[in-house]
Amino acid sequence: MKPHPFATYHPAVAFAYLACAIVLSMATLQPVFVVLSFAGAVGCSIVCRGARATGRSFIWIVPLWLVVTIANPLFSASGSTELFRIGVRAVYAESLLYGACSGAMLAAVFLWFSSYSSCMNSANTMALFGNVLPVVSLMVSQVMRLVPQFVARGRGIAAAQDATSAAAPQTKRQQAAGRFRIVSVLMGWGMEDGIERSDAMRARGYDCGARRSTYKRYRFNRADASVLGIIVVLAVIAGAWAAAVCLKFSFYPTLSGWGAWWAYVPYAVLMAVPPILQFKEWLLWR
Amino acid sequence: MALVDVKGFSFAYRTDEGSARPVLENVSLTIEEGEFCVLVGPTGCGKTTLLRSLKPELTPVGECGGTIEVLGMPLLRDGVLVDPENGGMDRRTSASAVGFVMQDPAMQIVCDTVWHELAFGLENLGTPQDEMRRRVAEVAHFFGIEPWVRQATEDLSGGQMQTVNLAAVLALRPRLLLLDEPTAQLDPNALKRFLFLLARVNRELGVTVVMATHSPEDVADYATRRIDLGEVGDMGARDDLCRSLEPRWSRRAQALANESVLEACSASFRYHRDSEWVLRGLNMKVARGSVHAIVGGNGSGKSTLLKLLAGVQKPQRGSVRNTLSSKQAYLPQDPKALFVCDSVAEEIAEWRMRCGYSEADERVALERFGLADHARQHPYDLSGGQRQKLALAKLLLTDPELLFLDEPTKGLDPTSCADEARLVRALADEGRTVIMVTHDLDFALATADEVSMVFDGELACTEPVGRFFENNIVYRPNKASRLFGALL
């Protein structure tokens, strides 16, 4: 896993931050907030996944944004500033801006989620919820173990099948059956494994009647608590003020209800948390 | 007091027809605390059955007689299993006090990361978190696992996996450790390392060890006691084998002079754009009708080379030219990758339509590979050696002229190894070309015509088998082995 700014903290910090960021980004469809959350999502993605991976996401983010932006005025002809007409349909600036905002919001949410998946792997997630659901935590761990094994095995079976050219499929139908065959080999093998693995599990006391406990890899200490506290407080204030602004704001017929500038400050600070944490780290190792 | 006390134990599996198939008859043994005891015997002699009978969760189902006591608790009294309510061992005690390690390293691993695997048993027993942390730390330190404790279990080598399995059991602090052929699937280096760790567990921690094996000489230095459950075959000397093979080698020298059917020209390969080169500018030639063995250490790239030669992977630089590419067959490391049917007979018939062989051919093949009596069995119910034979039989029915074998002796006992060696030699005598990757140098000596050693992504040397091993001082077959004994 790439080192990310949350790596030095308990997974609860990363989870709380990203959850807040995702929820707020989805809830605030207002040009300024959208710009802020998009900028925050890009910043977070750069510090969590690297500039290169983020750049690569733009390959599909930009077309997505363009499509949503262009589609909105075509479907909703509201607004007051007419830009031009296609046939009988008028295209309004407000409607175009609404499209641009929803496109950017969608893009931001996508970026937040990619940061989430790079910061929270199964071990982290389980460290958070494992205590509540020990059985689920074990199941996830097992699935995470079995999936790569199945994939590797499937590849091995396909390789053996392809490399045995003396038994190559003669007809189209046999060719199609070939891929299906991999699945049936995998199934048989997997079931056989299951018997032995359940023996191995029972041999180590699985289902022996005791209440399962969970190995805790992370401890929640004071530094985690303070960062988490700051994030939660920021998110509550930002959320409340954003709600106040968004309720008054409207796109149609003209853009109105921008509110005071300071109402945007907590939100902007919240969005800047990952780069700030990264900067702190940078200062330390300068 | 004896830790394990078995008196007049006998066991028989019930067959589908309703009759009983006896495995063990009237076995008696006592094992004292602190002993390192090896159970020796060939495949099918009941080693596994006996070991599993000592662990209540794994007790095999069948007809049994006699008495078994483990840790002073009765498991079996006069042929009747004893429940925990009547003084037998409860599952918690069994899980922590009696550890069990099986043969296949990958199959026993339950969790996705090493640390979780180490903690798995402790979690099951509901160990408090601080105690769990300490025990995991302790075993990780003892086994030197610390550097890779955060790694995914999927990425470990076989030897590392088996070490994790041992450590995970040790974290439960057992008094008795049962191991069922734990080194059968490991390469020679990993095998030595594992047995060394096991000996430390026995001597430094005082854990009683009972280990089943078909090669007792590997643990001769560590074991305090040996119990024979059957004949394992005699040792044979390397020199004797070489002498008996000399006529064959001089005969086979002609085959090596044949035109080459497979050629790699400065082939380079890596798995990802950012990863290290696995093979760098490798050159290789394989003569028609020869048996070519590729040997080398773990991670030297020998398996990758085989994939390249078989056309499964393409080199990023250089080329691989294969004149028999349409008449080849590939035997994967685990023959299970070839099995898709419910019985041996169906399995053999799978490619009948495609390759145009007849039912009579199938019968001949089953006969030749000694599987005629097992035609109705499920492929998974065969022994490791029989599975390997079934896979080979299946591939040979497609009449390939070029055969790729990936670690063909993995997990096989010496008798099956010897059978395999004879089969491969016979294939070459029929004019088929065989390329195999192996870390079993004994097998390479007995089977190959020519040996190539892979090192650092290149072929360090390629020589006819006799000369190859003569010139090596360190990297050479054992002085004596049961495989040689079985072949002589």
Coordinates of all heavy atoms in Angstrom, one line a residue, chain B residues 243-313:
Chain B
R243 N 26.3 -46.0 -12.4 CA 26.9 -47.1 -13.2 C 25.8 -47.8 -14.0 O 26.0 -48.1 -15.2 CB 27.5 -48.1 -12.2 CG 28.9 -48.6 -12.7 CD 29.6 -49.4 -11.6 NE 30.0 -48.5 -10.5 CZ 29.8 -48.7 -9.2 NH1 29.2 -49.8 -8.8 NH2 30.2 -47.8 -8.3
S244 N 24.6 -48.1 -13.4 CA 23.6 -48.8 -14.1 C 23.0 -47.9 -15.3 O 22.4 -48.4 -16.2 CB 22.4 -49.2 -13.2 OG 21.7 -48.1 -12.9
L245 N 23.2 -46.6 -15.1 CA 22.6 -45.7 -16.1 C 23.6 -45.4 -17.3 O 23.1 -44.9 -18.3 CB 22.2 -44.3 -15.5 CG 20.9 -44.3 -14.8 CD1 20.7 -43.0 -14.1 CD2 19.7 -44.5 -15.7
E246 N 24.8 -45.7 -17.1 CA 25.8 -45.4 -18.1 C 25.5 -45.9 -19.5 O 25.6 -45.1 -20.5 CB 27.2 -45.9 -17.7 CG 28.3 -44.8 -17.8 CD 29.0 -44.6 -16.5 OE1 29.8 -45.5 -16.1 OE2 28.9 -43.5 -15.9
P247 N 25.1 -47.2 -19.6 CA 24.8 -47.7 -21.0 C 23.7 -46.8 -21.6 O 23.7 -46.5 -22.8 CB 24.3 -49.1 -20.8 CG 24.7 -49.5 -19.4 CD 25.0 -48.2 -18.6
R248 N 22.7 -46.5 -20.7 CA 21.6 -45.7 -21.3 C 22.1 -44.3 -21.7 O 21.7 -43.8 -22.8 CB 20.5 -45.5 -20.1 CG 19.4 -44.6 -20.6 CD 18.3 -44.3 -19.5 NE 17.4 -43.3 -20.0 CZ 16.4 -43.5 -20.8 NH1 16.2 -44.7 -21.3 NH2 15.7 -42.5 -21.2
W249 N 22.9 -43.7 -20.9 CA 23.4 -42.4 -21.3 C 24.2 -42.4 -22.6 O 24.0 -41.5 -23.4 CB 24.4 -41.8 -20.1 CG 23.6 -41.4 -18.9 CD1 22.3 -41.2 -18.8 CD2 24.1 -41.2 -17.6 NE1 21.9 -40.9 -17.6 CE2 23.0 -40.8 -16.8 CE3 25.4 -41.2 -17.0 CZ2 23.2 -40.5 -15.4 CZ3 25.5 -40.9 -15.7 CH2 24.4 -40.6 -14.9
S250 N 25.0 -43.4 -22.8 CA 25.8 -43.4 -24.0 C 24.8 -43.7 -25.2 O 25.0 -43.1 -26.3 CB 26.9 -44.5 -24.0 OG 26.3 -45.7 -23.7
R251 N 23.7 -44.4 -25.0 CA 22.7 -44.6 -26.0 C 22.0 -43.3 -26.3 O 21.7 -43.0 -27.4 CB 21.8 -45.7 -25.5 CG 21.1 -46.5 -26.6 CD 20.3 -47.7 -26.1 NE 19.3 -47.4 -25.1 CZ 19.3 -47.8 -23.9 NH1 20.2 -48.6 -23.4 NH2 18.3 -47.5 -23.1
R252 N 21.7 -42.6 -25.2 CA 20.9 -41.4 -25.4 C 21.7 -40.3 -26.0 O 21.1 -39.2 -26.4 CB 20.3 -41.0 -24.0 CG 19.4 -42.0 -23.4 CD 18.1 -42.2 -24.1 NE 17.4 -40.9 -24.3 CZ 16.4 -40.8 -25.1 NH1 16.0 -41.8 -25.8 NH2 15.8 -39.6 -25.2
A253 N 23.0 -40.4 -26.0 CA 23.8 -39.3 -26.5 C 23.4 -39.0 -28.0 O 23.5 -37.9 -28.4 CB 25.3 -39.7 -26.5
Q254 N 23.0 -40.0 -28.7 CA 22.5 -39.8 -30.1 C 21.3 -38.9 -30.1 O 21.2 -38.0 -31.0 CB 22.1 -41.2 -30.7 CG 23.2 -42.1 -30.9 CD 22.7 -43.5 -31.2 OE1 21.5 -43.8 -31.1 NE2 23.7 -44.4 -31.5
A255 N 20.4 -39.1 -29.2 CA 19.2 -38.2 -29.1 C 19.6 -36.8 -29.0 O 19.0 -35.9 -29.6 CB 18.3 -38.7 -28.0
L256 N 20.7 -36.5 -28.2 CA 21.1 -35.2 -27.9 C 21.7 -34.5 -29.2 O 21.7 -33.3 -29.3 CB 22.1 -35.1 -26.8 CG 21.5 -35.4 -25.4 CD1 22.6 -35.3 -24.4 CD2 20.4 -34.5 -25.1
A257 N 22.1 -35.4 -30.2 CA 22.6 -34.8 -31.4 C 21.6 -34.5 -32.4 O 21.9 -33.9 -33.5 CB 23.7 -35.8 -32.0
N258 N 20.3 -34.9 -32.1 CA 19.2 -34.6 -33.1 C 19.0 -33.1 -33.3 O 19.5 -32.3 -32.5 CB 17.9 -35.1 -32.5 CG 17.8 -36.6 -32.7 OD1 18.5 -37.2 -33.4 ND2 16.8 -37.2 -32.0
E259 N 18.2 -32.8 -34.3 CA 18.0 -31.3 -34.5 C 17.1 -30.8 -33.4 O 16.4 -31.5 -32.7 CB 17.3 -31.1 -35.9 CG 15.8 -31.3 -35.9 CD 15.3 -32.7 -35.9 OE1 16.1 -33.6 -35.7 OE2 14.0 -32.9 -36.1
S260 N 17.3 -29.5 -33.2 CA 16.5 -28.9 -32.0 C 15.1 -28.6 -32.5 O 14.8 -28.2 -33.6 CB 17.2 -27.7 -31.5 OG 17.3 -26.7 -32.5
V261 N 14.1 -28.9 -31.5 CA 12.7 -28.7 -31.8 C 12.3 -27.4 -31.1 O 11.2 -26.8 -31.5 CB 11.8 -29.8 -31.4 CG1 12.0 -31.0 -32.3 CG2 12.1 -30.2 -30.0
L262 N 13.0 -27.0 -30.1 CA 12.6 -25.8 -29.3 C 13.8 -25.0 -29.1 O 14.8 -25.5 -28.6 CB 12.0 -26.3 -28.0 CG 11.4 -25.3 -27.1 CD1 10.3 -24.5 -27.8 CD2 10.8 -26.0 -25.9
E263 N 13.7 -23.7 -29.4 CA 14.9 -22.9 -29.2 C 14.4 -21.5 -28.6 O 13.4 -20.9 -29.1 CB 15.5 -22.6 -30.6 CG 16.8 -23.2 -30.8 CD 17.3 -23.0 -32.2 OE1 17.8 -21.8 -32.5 OE2 17.3 -23.9 -33.0
A264 N 15.1 -21.1 -27.6 CA 14.9 -19.7 -27.1 C 16.1 -18.9 -27.5 O 17.3 -19.3 -27.3 CB 14.8 -19.8 -25.6
C265 N 15.8 -17.7 -28.1 CA 16.9 -16.9 -28.5 C 16.9 -15.6 -27.7 O 16.0 -14.8 -27.8 CB 16.8 -16.6 -30.0 SG 17.9 -17.5 -31.0
S266 N 17.9 -15.3 -26.9 CA 18.0 -14.2 -26.0 C 16.7 -13.7 -25.6 O 16.3 -12.5 -25.7 CB 18.8 -13.0 -26.7 OG 18.2 -12.7 -28.0
A267 N 15.9 -14.6 -24.9 CA 14.6 -14.3 -24.4 C 14.7 -13.6 -23.1 O 15.4 -14.0 -22.2 CB 13.8 -15.6 -24.3
S268 N 14.0 -12.5 -23.0 CA 13.9 -11.7 -21.7 C 12.4 -11.6 -21.4 O 11.6 -11.4 -22.2 CB 14.5 -10.3 -21.9 OG 15.9 -10.4 -22.2
F269 N 12.2 -11.7 -20.1 CA 10.8 -11.6 -19.6 C 10.7 -11.0 -18.2 O 11.5 -11.3 -17.4 CB 10.2 -13.0 -19.6 CG 8.8 -13.1 -19.2 CD1 7.8 -12.8 -20.1 CD2 8.4 -13.4 -17.9 CE1 6.4 -12.8 -19.7 CE2 7.1 -13.4 -17.5 CZ 6.1 -13.1 -18.4
R270 N 9.6 -10.2 -18.1 CA 9.2 -9.8 -16.7 C 7.7 -9.7 -16.7 O 7.1 -9.6 -17.7 CB 9.9 -8.5 -16.3 CG 9.6 -7.3 -17.3 CD 10.4 -6.1 -16.9 NE 10.4 -5.1 -17.9 CZ 11.0 -3.9 -17.8 NH1 11.8 -3.7 -16.7 NH2 11.0 -3.1 -18.7
Y271 N 7.2 -9.8 -15.4 CA 5.7 -9.9 -15.3 C 5.0 -8.5 -15.4 O 3.9 -8.5 -15.9 CB 5.4 -10.6 -14.0 CG 5.6 -12.1 -14.1 CD1 6.7 -12.7 -13.6 CD2 4.6 -12.9 -14.6 CE1 6.9 -14.0 -13.7 CE2 4.7 -14.2 -14.7 CZ 5.9 -14.8 -14.3 OH 6.0 -16.1 -14.4
H272 N 5.7 -7.4 -15.0 CA 5.1 -6.1 -15.1 C 6.1 -5.1 -15.6 O 7.3 -5.4 -15.6 CB 4.6 -5.6 -13.7 CG 3.5 -6.5 -13.2 ND1 2.3 -6.5 -13.7 CD2 3.6 -7.4 -12.2 CE1 1.6 -7.4 -13.0 NE2 2.4 -8.0 -12.1
R273 N 5.6 -4.0 -16.1 CA 6.5 -3.0 -16.6 C 7.5 -2.5 -15.6 O 8.7 -2.2 -15.9 CB 5.7 -1.8 -17.2 CG 6.5 -0.9 -18.1 CD 5.7 0.2 -18.6 NE 5.3 1.1 -17.6 CZ 4.5 2.2 -17.8 NH1 4.1 2.4 -19.0 NH2 4.2 2.9 -16.8
D274 N 7.1 -2.5 -14.3 CA 8.0 -1.9 -13.3 C 8.8 -3.0 -12.5 O 9.5 -2.7 -11.7 CB 7.1 -1.1 -12.2 CG 6.2 -0.2 -12.9 OD1 6.6 0.4 -13.9 OD2 5.0 -0.1 -12.5
S275 N 8.5 -4.3 -12.8 CA 9.1 -5.3 -12.0 C 10.5 -5.7 -12.6 O 10.9 -5.3 -13.7 CB 8.2 -6.5 -11.9 OG 8.0 -7.0 -13.2
E276 N 11.2 -6.4 -11.8 CA 12.6 -6.9 -12.2 C 12.4 -7.9 -13.4 O 11.4 -8.6 -13.5 CB 13.2 -7.7 -11.1 CG 13.7 -6.8 -9.9 CD 15.1 -6.3 -10.2 OE1 15.9 -7.1 -10.5 OE2 15.3 -5.1 -10.1
W277 N 13.5 -8.0 -14.2 CA 13.5 -9.0 -15.2 C 13.6 -10.4 -14.6 O 14.5 -10.5 -13.7 CB 14.7 -8.8 -16.2 CG 14.5 -7.6 -17.1 CD1 15.1 -6.4 -16.9 CD2 13.7 -7.5 -18.3 NE1 14.7 -5.5 -17.9 CE2 13.9 -6.2 -18.7 CE3 12.9 -8.4 -19.0 CZ2 13.2 -5.8 -19.9 CZ3 12.3 -8.0 -20.1 CH2 12.4 -6.7 -20.6
V278 N 12.8 -11.3 -15.0 CA 12.9 -12.7 -14.4 C 13.9 -13.5 -15.2 O 14.8 -14.2 -14.7 CB 11.6 -13.4 -14.4 CG1 11.7 -14.7 -13.7 CG2 10.5 -12.5 -13.7
L279 N 13.8 -13.3 -16.5 CA 14.8 -13.9 -17.5 C 15.5 -12.8 -18.3 O 14.8 -11.9 -18.7 CB 14.1 -14.9 -18.4 CG 13.3 -16.0 -17.8 CD1 12.5 -16.7 -18.8 CD2 14.2 -16.9 -17.0
R280 N 16.8 -12.9 -18.4 CA 17.5 -11.9 -19.2 C 18.3 -12.5 -20.3 O 19.3 -13.2 -20.0 CB 18.5 -11.2 -18.3 CG 18.0 -10.7 -17.0 CD 19.1 -10.5 -16.0 NE 18.7 -10.7 -14.7 CZ 18.4 -9.7 -13.8 NH1 18.5 -8.5 -14.2 NH2 18.0 -10.0 -12.6
G281 N 17.9 -12.3 -21.5 CA 18.6 -12.8 -22.7 C 19.0 -14.2 -22.6 O 20.2 -14.6 -22.8
L282 N 18.0 -15.1 -22.3 CA 18.3 -16.5 -22.2 C 18.3 -17.3 -23.5 O 17.5 -17.1 -24.3 CB 17.2 -17.1 -21.2 CG 17.3 -18.6 -20.9 CD1 17.0 -18.7 -19.4 CD2 16.4 -19.4 -21.7
N283 N 19.3 -18.1 -23.7 CA 19.4 -18.9 -24.9 C 19.3 -20.4 -24.5 O 19.9 -20.8 -23.5 CB 20.8 -18.7 -25.5 CG 20.9 -17.3 -26.1 OD1 20.1 -16.9 -27.0 ND2 21.9 -16.6 -25.7
M284 N 18.6 -21.2 -25.3 CA 18.4 -22.6 -24.9 C 18.0 -23.3 -26.2 O 17.3 -22.8 -27.0 CB 17.3 -22.6 -23.9 CG 17.0 -24.0 -23.4 SD 15.9 -24.0 -22.0 CE 15.6 -25.7 -21.8
K285 N 18.5 -24.6 -26.2 CA 18.1 -25.5 -27.3 C 17.7 -26.8 -26.8 O 18.4 -27.3 -25.9 CB 19.3 -25.7 -28.3 CG 19.4 -24.6 -29.3 CD 20.5 -25.0 -30.3 CE 20.8 -23.8 -31.2 NZ 22.0 -24.0 -32.0
V286 N 16.6 -27.4 -27.3 CA 16.2 -28.7 -26.8 C 16.2 -29.6 -28.0 O 15.5 -29.3 -29.0 CB 14.8 -28.7 -26.2 CG1 14.4 -30.1 -25.7 CG2 14.8 -27.7 -25.0
A287 N 16.9 -30.8 -27.9 CA 17.0 -31.7 -29.1 C 15.7 -32.6 -29.1 O 15.2 -33.0 -28.1 CB 18.2 -32.5 -29.0
R288 N 15.3 -33.0 -30.3 CA 14.2 -33.8 -30.5 C 14.4 -35.2 -29.8 O 15.5 -35.8 -29.9 CB 14.0 -34.1 -32.0 CG 12.7 -35.0 -32.3 CD 12.6 -35.3 -33.8 NE 12.2 -34.1 -34.6 CZ 11.0 -33.8 -34.8 NH1 10.0 -34.5 -34.2 NH2 10.7 -32.7 -35.5
G289 N 13.4 -35.6 -29.1 CA 13.5 -36.9 -28.5 C 14.4 -37.0 -27.2 O 14.7 -38.1 -26.7
S290 N 14.7 -35.8 -26.7 CA 15.5 -35.9 -25.4 C 14.7 -35.5 -24.2 O 13.6 -34.9 -24.3 CB 16.7 -34.9 -25.6 OG 16.2 -33.6 -25.6
V291 N 15.2 -35.8 -23.0 CA 14.6 -35.4 -21.8 C 15.5 -34.3 -21.2 O 16.6 -34.5 -20.9 CB 14.5 -36.5 -20.8 CG1 13.9 -36.0 -19.5 CG2 13.7 -37.7 -21.3
H292 N 14.9 -33.1 -21.2 CA 15.7 -31.9 -20.8 C 15.2 -31.5 -19.4 O 14.1 -31.1 -19.3 CB 15.6 -30.8 -21.8 CG 16.6 -29.8 -21.7 ND1 17.5 -29.6 -22.7 CD2 16.9 -28.9 -20.7 CE1 18.4 -28.6 -22.4 NE2 18.0 -28.2 -21.2
A293 N 16.1 -31.5 -18.4 CA 15.7 -31.1 -17.1 C 16.2 -29.7 -16.8 O 17.3 -29.4 -17.2 CB 16.2 -32.0 -16.0
I294 N 15.3 -28.8 -16.3 CA 15.7 -27.5 -15.9 C 15.7 -27.4 -14.4 O 14.7 -27.7 -13.8 CB 14.7 -26.4 -16.5 CG1 14.7 -26.5 -18.0 CG2 15.1 -25.1 -16.1 CD1 13.5 -25.8 -18.6
V295 N 16.9 -27.2 -13.8 CA 17.0 -27.1 -12.4 C 17.4 -25.7 -11.9 O 17.8 -24.9 -12.8 CB 18.0 -28.2 -11.8 CG1 17.5 -29.6 -12.2 CG2 19.4 -27.9 -12.3
G296 N 17.3 -25.4 -10.7 CA 17.7 -24.1 -10.2 C 17.0 -23.9 -8.8 O 16.1 -24.6 -8.5
G297 N 17.5 -22.8 -8.1 CA 17.0 -22.5 -6.8 C 15.6 -22.0 -6.9 O 15.0 -21.7 -8.0
N298 N 15.0 -21.7 -5.7 CA 13.7 -21.1 -5.6 C 13.8 -19.7 -6.2 O 14.7 -18.9 -5.9 CB 13.3 -21.0 -4.1 CG 12.2 -22.0 -3.8 OD1 11.6 -22.6 -4.7 ND2 12.0 -22.2 -2.5
G299 N 12.8 -19.3 -7.0 CA 12.8 -17.9 -7.5 C 13.9 -17.7 -8.6 O 14.2 -16.5 -8.9
S300 N 14.5 -18.7 -9.1 CA 15.5 -18.5 -10.1 C 14.9 -18.2 -11.5 O 15.6 -17.8 -12.4 CB 16.4 -19.7 -10.2 OG 15.7 -20.8 -10.6
G301 N 13.6 -18.5 -11.6 CA 12.9 -18.2 -12.8 C 12.7 -19.5 -13.7 O 12.4 -19.4 -14.8
K302 N 12.9 -20.7 -13.0 CA 12.8 -21.9 -13.9 C 11.3 -22.2 -14.3 O 11.1 -22.6 -15.4 CB 13.4 -23.1 -13.2 CG 13.0 -23.4 -11.8 CD 13.9 -24.5 -11.3 CE 13.4 -25.2 -10.0 NZ 13.0 -24.4 -8.9
S303 N 10.4 -21.9 -13.4 CA 9.0 -22.1 -13.8 C 8.6 -21.1 -14.8 O 7.8 -21.5 -15.8 CB 8.1 -21.9 -12.6 OG 8.3 -23.0 -11.6
T304 N 9.0 -19.9 -14.7 CA 8.8 -18.9 -15.7 C 9.3 -19.3 -17.1 O 8.7 -19.2 -18.1 CB 9.4 -17.5 -15.3 OG1 9.0 -17.2 -14.0 CG2 8.9 -16.4 -16.3
L305 N 10.5 -19.9 -17.0 CA 11.1 -20.3 -18.3 C 10.2 -21.4 -18.9 O 10.0 -21.4 -20.2 CB 12.5 -20.9 -18.0 CG 13.2 -21.6 -19.1 CD1 13.4 -20.6 -20.3 CD2 14.6 -22.1 -18.7
L306 N 9.7 -22.3 -18.1 CA 8.9 -23.4 -18.7 C 7.6 -22.8 -19.3 O 7.2 -23.2 -20.4 CB 8.5 -24.4 -17.6 CG 7.9 -25.7 -18.1 CD1 9.0 -26.5 -18.7 CD2 7.1 -26.4 -17.0
K307 N 7.0 -21.8 -18.7 CA 5.9 -21.1 -19.3 C 6.2 -20.5 -20.6 O 5.4 -20.5 -21.5 CB 5.3 -20.1 -18.3 CG 4.5 -20.7 -17.2 CD 3.9 -19.5 -16.4 CE 3.5 -20.0 -15.0 NZ 3.7 -19.0 -14.0
L308 N 7.4 -19.9 -20.7 CA 7.8 -19.2 -21.9 C 8.0 -20.3 -23.0 O 7.6 -20.1 -24.1 CB 9.1 -18.5 -21.6 CG 9.2 -17.0 -22.0 CD1 8.2 -16.3 -21.2 CD2 10.6 -16.5 -21.7
L309 N 8.6 -21.4 -22.7 CA 8.9 -22.4 -23.6 C 7.6 -23.0 -24.1 O 7.4 -23.3 -25.3 CB 9.8 -23.5 -23.0 CG 11.2 -23.1 -22.7 CD1 11.9 -24.2 -22.0 CD2 12.0 -22.6 -23.9
A310 N 6.6 -23.1 -23.2 CA 5.3 -23.7 -23.6 C 4.4 -22.8 -24.3 O 3.3 -23.1 -24.7 CB 4.7 -24.3 -22.3
G311 N 4.8 -21.5 -24.4 CA 4.0 -20.5 -25.1 C 2.9 -19.9 -24.2 O 2.1 -19.2 -24.8
V312 N 2.9 -20.2 -22.9 CA 1.9 -19.6 -22.0 C 2.2 -18.1 -21.9 O 1.3 -17.3 -21.8 CB 1.9 -20.3 -20.7 CG1 0.9 -19.6 -19.7 CG2 1.6 -21.8 -20.8
Q313 N 3.4 -17.7 -21.8 CA 3.9 -16.4 -21.8 C 4.7 -16.1 -23.0 O 5.4 -17.0 -23.4 CB 4.7 -16.1 -20.5 CG 3.9 -16.4 -19.2 CD 3.0 -15.2 -18.8 OE1 2.8 -14.3 -19.5 NE2 2.5 -15.3 -17.6

